[in-house]
Structure formats: structure tokens, C-alpha cells
Amino acid sequence: MVATVVLGAGCSGTPAATPTSSPPSPTSETLPHSGAPKVEHPLPASVLSGDPCQGALTPEQLKQIFGTVPNGTPDATAGLGPNCDWQADAGVSVGYVTQDHQGLSAVYRNSKPQTSVWRELPLIQGFPAVGYIDKAGAASGDICTVSVGVADDLSFDVALTLSQAKKNARADPCEPATRVADMVVTNLRQKAGS
């Protein structure tokens, strides 16, 4: 039942690599910057250690998302940290942004100007988040990235590609992407013991 609500049926392809930030540059800017909100109750950096294929989403959550439990595939080419892709009737990618140490500030600075849709989302379990569709993906309208700041200098991304059925129904991909991001936050908070 939940899988139908979240993603539906059909196949739409692979989530696009998330261009959340550029390589770090020497800067003395204080975090947060570029309009990004402060993370009031940050999680420790250790929550983004390890392989997201093993800890970002549980088998039960994957079943809720897809209606089945697809295997995660690590993707070393996407983003600025470990990334995992899951494909079934739709696609989900979770990336831990651990290398630039800019958190959501990098998303506000680098990704926001490249978007056709930009939404500052309600806090996800107390953590600031944005949902966006980049200009390159605007034509298809079936891919949304949600970036969540878990500390001022750390974030993670969820890129979700709608199934063909949901795309045909002109569903908003940012809604299910936000629900998946909430699942990831639940797991990161458990890892942190909070």
C-alpha cells in the first residue's frame, strides 16, 4: 500500500547525479552562509560514515518505497562522498556529502542557481531541508533532490526518480523524495543514539 503511495509502478531511469557542491576552496566564511539555515541540534559526523547502501535505508523501508527490496549499488562517481543507488520500478539515490564540509551552504550557493524548482521544506525531524529540480531535469519533471543539513558542515542528498506511472500522472517527485529523506534521518538519528 505504501509503495503505491510513494512511487507507483513503471520504470523511469536512474536518478541523476546530484551536483550539490563544488570542491572545497580556501575560505574563511563562517557556516552557515549563502542563505542556508543553521542546524540547531547537529548530529555527529560519524552518522555519515560508512556505506549508505548498508545504513541509509532499512530493508523494511525499501519495501515501503518500492514494494520490494532491491539491492543497493554503490556509486563512487556521484557527489562528494559515498553514494548508493536503488532501482526497481523507480529509482532512489542517497549520498552522504562528507568531503566539502559546507553542508547546506554549498547547496544554497552552488545548486540553487541551477534549479528550475527550489523549495525550502519544513524541518525534517528538526533538520533543515530543501527540495529542488535542476534545470537539466526540468524537462522530464520526474527527478527531485532533497538535501538535508544534519550539521552546519554536513548534509545528505536523496535523489528520487518517479516511476513511469507516477510521471504520467504528473506527480510531484519532491513529495516522495521528502518522505525518503525522513526515513534516512530516522536511521541517522538512531545511529547517533538520539
Side-chain angles (χ1 to χ4, degrees), residues 77-131:
T77 65
L80 291 169
N83 195 83
C84 187
D85 297 325
W86 292 269
Q87 298 294 318
D89 56 348
V92 169
S93 176
V94 176
Y96 296 164
V97 183
T98 57
Q99 295 176 16
D100 71 352
H101 306 289
Q102 294 290 303
L104 281 185
S105 295
V107 178
Y108 273 73
R109 173 185 280 165
N110 303 320
S111 296
K112 185 176 183 179
Q114 307 300 319
T115 61
S116 62
V117 173
W118 176 267
R119 296 182 194 146
E120 294 183 0
L121 301 171
L123 294 176
I124 297 178
Q125 299 186 42
F127 298 97
V130 293

Side-chain angles (χ1 to χ4, degrees), residues 27-78:
T27 180
S28 59
E29 283 185 292
T30 303
L31 293 173
H33 59 74
S34 304
K38 181 162 187 56
V39 178
E40 296 298 334
H41 303 287
L43 293 176
S46 61
V47 299
L48 296 184
S49 65
D51 179 1
C53 290
Q54 302 301 316
L57 294 165
T58 67
E60 294 79 17
Q61 290 166 332
L62 290 168
K63 184 147 186 153
Q64 287 179 345
I65 295 165
F66 294 105
T68 184
V69 182
N71 289 323
T73 304
D75 183 356
T77 65

Side-chain angles (χ1 to χ4, degrees), residues 133-187:
I133 298 173
D134 67 27
K135 291 175 185 170
S140 64
D142 64 346
I143 300 171
C144 179
T145 301
V146 172
S147 296
V148 180
V150 295
D152 287 341
D153 61 344
L154 293 170
S155 63
F156 72 86
D157 299 324
V158 171
L160 183 137
T161 304
L162 289 173
S163 66
Q164 189 62 47
K166 289 290 186 180
K167 181 180 175 184
N168 291 343
R170 303 181 73 83
D172 177 2
C174 291
E175 291 179 11
T178 301
R179 291 195 291 272
V180 173
D182 182 72
M183 294 176 184
V184 176
V185 169
T186 295
N187 298 333

